[in-house]
Amino acid sequence: MEATVAALVEHGWAGTTTTAVARRAGVSRGAQLHHYPTRAELVIAAVQHIGAARIAEIREQAASLPTGPGRTEAVLDMLARLCTGPLFHAALELWTAARTDPEVRAAVVPLEAVIGRESHRLTVELLGADESRPGVREAIQQTLGLIRGLGLADLLTDDGPRRRALLADWARYLDERLRTR
């Protein structure tokens, strides 16, 4: 699975072949075919692996966040790092493949729904947000959409300085919105 993720990040969907993954993983082509007879089966297994890894990464990083002032900005920074890292890049390759491949789409859509719900739930928890208050759920969804968009902007050029400034501003807005509604 790690070799598949690495191949997706390095070579994209088009360059991630079962032969290349077997070579990268140091297994024989026969062993690879025994476990994953088709590229779709290999990639679907990788989708599940990526999903579990992304959720684990969020939980692990969340444990070290500060409390008190600056927490919102730290939460946003953590989420932004997740959307600019290799697991996000591999996930984007799978999203692109899922757009035109029904078999990959059938695996990616439900997995992304799980990741989306978990990301939302964890963001609510980390920010101490009360979703029973009007507008709070929407603010969390806007936050996650903003961060995903900033992750996309970072794909072609280093968008770090602009991203940090936008997230610092958004953190102030979000603190205000979560407090006053």
Side-chain angles (χ1 to χ4, degrees):
M1 295 302 94
E2 296 299 326
T4 304
V5 171
L8 282 168
V9 171
E10 188 174 329
H11 303 292
W13 171 253
T16 302
T17 64
T18 55
T19 302
V21 170
R23 189 173 331 131
R24 182 178 216 123
V27 300
S28 71
R29 177 93 168 106
Q32 180 267 307
L33 286 171
H34 174 73
H35 293 287
Y36 305 103
T38 68
R39 175 179 164 181
E41 288 174 309
L42 176 64
V43 170
I44 289 166
V47 168
Q48 294 165 339
H49 173 77
I50 288 169
R54 284 174 62 199
I55 290 169
E57 191 175 4
I58 290 169
R59 287 185 178 137
E60 180 181 315
Q61 289 184 15
S64 64
L65 290 171
T67 58
R71 181 171 177 86
T72 300
E73 194 169 346
V75 169
L76 298 182
D77 182 60
M78 177 200 74
L79 294 171
R81 282 193 317 272
L82 292 172
C83 286
T84 55
L87 288 176
F88 183 73
H89 294 169
L92 287 176
E93 290 295 330
L94 295 176
W95 294 349
T96 302
R99 189 180 71 79
T100 57
D101 185 319
E103 190 175 3
V104 176
R105 182 180 182 83
V108 170
V109 169
L111 181 62
E112 283 302 320
V114 169
I115 291 170
R117 282 190 303 273
E118 181 66 12
S119 297
H120 181 97
R121 187 200 60 72
L122 189 57
T123 303
V124 167
E125 178 185 318
L126 292 174
L127 294 174
D130 179 0
E131 286 193 293
S132 69
R133 294 169 54 200
V136 170
R137 180 172 180 72
E138 292 78 5
I140 299 299
Q141 288 298 305
Q142 290 165 346
T143 299
L144 293 171
L146 169 66
I147 289 171
R148 183 178 285 157
L150 291 171
L152 290 171
D154 196 68
L155 284 173
L156 300 177
T157 61
D158 178 9
D159 200 41
R162 183 179 79 93
R163 182 179 60 251
R164 283 187 290 280
L166 286 170
L167 290 178
D169 188 53
W170 187 259
R172 288 186 296 276
Y173 165 78
L174 193 57
D175 278 340
E176 170 95 11
R177 187 158 182 199
L178 295 178
R179 245 191 341 266
T180 60
R181 290 195 174 218

